[in-house]
Amino acid sequence: MAILPAAAPSYADDAKPAVTLSTAEAAKGADVTVTGSGWRPGALLMLLVCGQSDPARGVIGGTNSCSNADGQAVTTDAKGSFTKALPAAPPPKPCPCVVHVATVQGEPALVDTELKITGHPVAPLPDQSGDGRLAVLAEPRLDGSSSLLTWFGAPPARTLVFTVGNLGSAPVKDPVFQLGTSHGVFAPQWEDRQWKGTIAPGRKAEIKLDFELSAGAHGDYQVSLRYAKKLLATEPWGVDRPWGVTVFWILLCLVVPAAVFRIGMAVVDRLRPRDPRRAHTPRHRGMRLTDVTVRLPGAGRGRGERMAPPAGPDPDPDPGRRPGPDGSAHRTTAPLPWFTPDSAPSENPPGRANGPTTKGNP
């Protein structure tokens, strides 16, 4: 994440930082000892020599007016003090010049101290336009999380939250920011996002901008924030791969071939020619339990009880019905399939006399 600082009075409420220089004028390239006090303990500071600047108006044009290549970084001690040698490198803009000291992270604070550079051109400062100037005062963050739909390829969405301060002399009403997202080596795609509200001079406000990527996006992205064609901040964003789409395609590659195979086998089974030898073979009908019961001798009646003839005329006389000695017809039961006439049980088993046995006869 990178934040581009801008010149303005410090927004730190408690700390009152101060900067002193070892000399008020220095030759080009000469070292100037910068001493600071009243800063936040352990704060990382950036030291720059900037042109077209004034301690009252700050650095006009931002850090583009500073000699960024010769800047120095320093960390304050436990008491909030520091001492650092800074070369008086000529800035790209003419003087008046200042030594610009600002915090890099945490609570923003900055101090501009006038410095004259011998031999460097001097030009009057541009007229004050009265426009408001916004700068990012706190580290931006991305709020939000992925849902179940995002796991199946829905567009990932987040909210960029950042705090800006008005460093100008005029209020800023309904500012229009530019939000860009880039992937890999591609350039950001900028979109305008308007924030409804007014930021008075010397005031700050928390701004939230919603945005989303394209459907199925994944990988390492970078979110950039720009205002008035100046880059204010960048924030990295790692987007997870939508694994639900991958699982769906794997299942689709397994289910569709199996379904096509089943349909094809059903069509082949219906269209294949039948065996002519089996075409006219009658199907065997199963025997019902009632048919077996009717054919069993004595089924459904008691011992010595005769079956009553059916009521009404018999259109189809039974060939098994024979007239009896007394002229009445009675039904002769066909032998069961598992008995033959020779093997059927008889009333006189072998070894028994045909007549009755009398007791006492030899």
Side-chain angles (χ1 to χ4, degrees):
M1 190 275 300
I3 299 178
L4 303 180
S10 174
Y11 280 91
D13 298 332
D14 300 333
K16 297 184 180 299
V19 172
T20 58
L21 305 179
S22 59
T23 178
E25 184 176 357
K28 294 182 179 180
D31 289 341
V32 178
T33 302
V34 183
T35 304
S37 61
W39 296 83
R40 188 175 66 253
L44 179 62
L45 306 180
M46 178 179 59
L47 285 67
L48 295 173
V49 176
C50 302
Q52 198 176 0
S53 305
D54 183 77
R57 297 179 58 182
V59 179
I60 302 174
T63 54
N64 293 330
S65 303
C66 305
S67 55
N68 297 310
D70 297 308
Q72 299 293 325
V74 64
T75 303
T76 60
D77 55 16
K79 297 181 179 180
S81 303
F82 72 90
T83 300
K84 186 70 175 180
L86 176 68
K93 297 291 184 179
C95 286
C97 300
V98 297
V99 174
H100 178 74
V101 182
T103 56
V104 178
Q105 296 176 345
E107 185 69 22
L110 57 89
V111 172
D112 294 328
T113 305
E114 185 177 1
L115 174 66
K116 293 181 180 181
I117 300 178
T118 305
H120 192 66
V122 178
L125 296 176
D127 295 336
Q128 190 171 2
S129 60
D131 295 335
R133 293 184 293 114
L134 299 181
V136 175
L137 304 179
E139 182 178 359
R141 69 179 187 274
L142 294 176
D143 287 350
S145 60
S146 301
S147 62
L148 182 61
L149 296 179
T150 306
W151 201 69
F152 284 94
R158 291 292 187 274
T159 301
L160 181 64
V161 182
F162 57 96
T163 302
V164 296
N166 187 357
L167 309 182
S169 57
V172 178
K173 182 179 180 180
D174 300 337
V176 178
F177 297 92
Q178 288 184 318
L179 198 62
T181 56
S182 60
H183 179 56
V185 297
F186 297 98
Q189 297 180 356
W190 300 100
E191 296 181 2
D192 292 341
R193 293 286 189 272
Q194 186 176 19
W195 181 77
K196 295 293 184 178
T198 302
I199 306 175
R203 299 294 181 179
K204 58 183 179 179
E206 184 181 62
I207 299 177
K208 298 181 179 181
L209 301 178
D210 298 331
F211 68 97
E212 67 178 17
L213 302 178
S214 58
H218 63 277
D220 295 332
Y221 282 79
Q222 188 173 15
V223 182
S224 303
L225 180 66
R226 191 168 64 179
Y227 177 74
K229 298 182 179 181
K230 293 182 180 180
L231 185 64
L232 299 181
T234 58
E235 185 72 13
W237 181 21
V239 184
D240 297 333
R241 180 182 293 272
W243 291 108
V245 179
T246 305
V247 174
F248 170 77
W249 284 110
I250 293 176
L251 294 178
L252 189 64
C253 293
L254 295 177
V255 173
V256 172
V260 173
F261 176 78
R262 293 288 297 271
I263 295 174
M265 293 302 295
V267 173
V268 170
D269 183 68
R270 181 175 292 273
L271 297 180
R272 67 179 179 179
R274 301 295 181 180
D275 190 356
R277 295 174 299 178
R278 301 180 56 185
H280 303 287
T281 303
R283 296 184 178 180
H284 296 283
R285 296 179 59 188
M287 183 176 292
R288 294 177 298 176
L289 181 61
T290 55
D291 297 339
V292 179
T293 306
V294 170
R295 294 177 183 274
L296 289 177
R301 63 180 185 269
R303 186 172 182 179
E305 184 181 356
R306 237 176 237 186
M307 180 183 297
D314 190 1
D316 188 13
D318 190 357
R321 182 177 300 182
R322 298 291 184 266
D326 53 357
S328 62
H330 68 279
R331 180 182 297 273
T332 59
T333 304
L336 295 176
W338 52 85
F339 290 116
T340 61
D342 297 336
S343 62
S346 60
E347 295 181 0
N348 298 325
R352 183 178 177 184
N354 294 331
T357 303
T358 57
K359 193 173 183 180
N361 295 334

